[in-house]
Amino acid sequence: MNRPYIAPAIRPATHADEHALAVIDRATWSTTVSPAALWPVGTPFFDEHTQPENVLVAHDDTHIVGYLKLRPYPHPACSDHIQEIHGFAVSPSQQGRGIGSFLIRAAQKEAIRRQARRVRLRVLGTNLRAQRLYLAHRFQVEGRLREQFLIAGQYVDDVLMGTLLG
Ligand SMILES: CC(C)(COP(=O)(O)OP(=O)(O)OC[C@H]1O[C@@H](n2cnc3c(N)ncnc32)[C@H](O)[C@@H]1OP(=O)(O)O)[C@@H](O)C(=O)NCCC(=O)NCCS
């Protein structure tokens, strides 16, 4: 079914977004999206690894409809030119309307603003929809850890993707 394309507004998250983001996070969890088990209700969205300034939120007139986490690559100073997408989701009822594409483009712009040269991410081999979206936005498959995870009785690859900016 074709769904109307929408142009969400994008802004950095604030602590006030905690609940809305946690709801989207849980609603989009599946064994195709994450190797981790579904976390308990009430698990905070923001923690020491996820600060509001590293989360872009997409919203329409009334609701937050998606988010993307973009953080500096947490490794040695010689990797300071790298930003990493480490969480990305759109409310199930709003998927397929271009919101994910908007968020990826906003993340690429934000990475350039942070003077990054490269953006990287990891995606499960079974998450073909997300992979298609990344490929459509100039990401390439840079590596594949074969059968890295055993998820629900199935071995699943960990796919490394990246894009050079500019
Ligand atoms: C991956 C995800 C964030 C994409 O968000 P989205 O808002 O649905 O993304 P888009 O709408 O920009 O694009 C998704 C698809 O809809 C299509 N689309 C977008 N707007 C459309 C429109 N108006 N009409 C028809 N199709 C449209 C895109 O071409 C794309 O098609 P494809 O799936 O065949 O490649 C979302 O599916 C999601 O939350 N998934 C669960 C979490 C997840 O997998 N996260 C990534 C972890 S690495």
Side-chain angles (χ1 to χ4, degrees), residues 42-139:
T43 302
F45 182 85
F46 295 117
D47 59 20
E48 72 271 25
H49 305 294
T50 303
Q51 301 296 326
E53 64 269 22
N54 286 329
V55 179
L56 295 170
V57 299
H59 61 96
D60 63 14
D61 292 343
T62 50
H63 293 98
I64 291 178
V65 291
Y67 74 82
L68 184 150
K69 301 180 187 176
L70 179 75
R71 67 179 176 190
Y73 186 58
H75 287 297
C78 57
S79 299
D80 277 354
H81 59 291
I82 302 174
Q83 294 279 308
E84 178 176 54
I85 294 174
H86 71 114
F88 173 38
V90 169
S91 291
S93 66
Q94 300 297 321
Q95 291 178 9
R97 309 182 75 185
I99 298 166
S101 300
F102 255 85
L103 279 163
I104 294 179
R105 286 195 293 270
Q108 288 170 329
K109 276 191 204 150
E110 175 61 14
I112 289 170
R113 193 188 70 76
R114 295 179 186 181
Q115 302 188 322
R117 177 172 168 76
R118 156 178 166 69
V119 178
R120 56 156 276 164
L121 60 86
R122 293 165 54 189
V123 56
L124 292 182
T126 44
N127 194 349
L128 299 179
R129 187 171 199 202
Q131 288 175 46
R132 271 199 308 272
L133 200 54
Y134 297 132
L135 288 169
H137 289 84
R138 301 181 55 213
F139 283 79

Side-chain angles (χ1 to χ4, degrees), residues 33-35 84 120-127 131 141-151 155-161:
V33 170
S34 172
E84 178 176 54
R120 56 156 276 164
L121 60 86
R122 293 165 54 189
V123 56
L124 292 182
T126 44
N127 194 349
Q131 288 175 46
V141 175
E142 297 181 333
R144 179 179 287 267
L145 304 180
R146 293 172 62 195
E147 301 194 353
Q148 176 74 4
F149 304 113
L150 178 59
I151 302 174
Y155 287 104
V156 177
D157 296 350
D158 192 9
V159 179
L160 314 179
M161 300 185 76

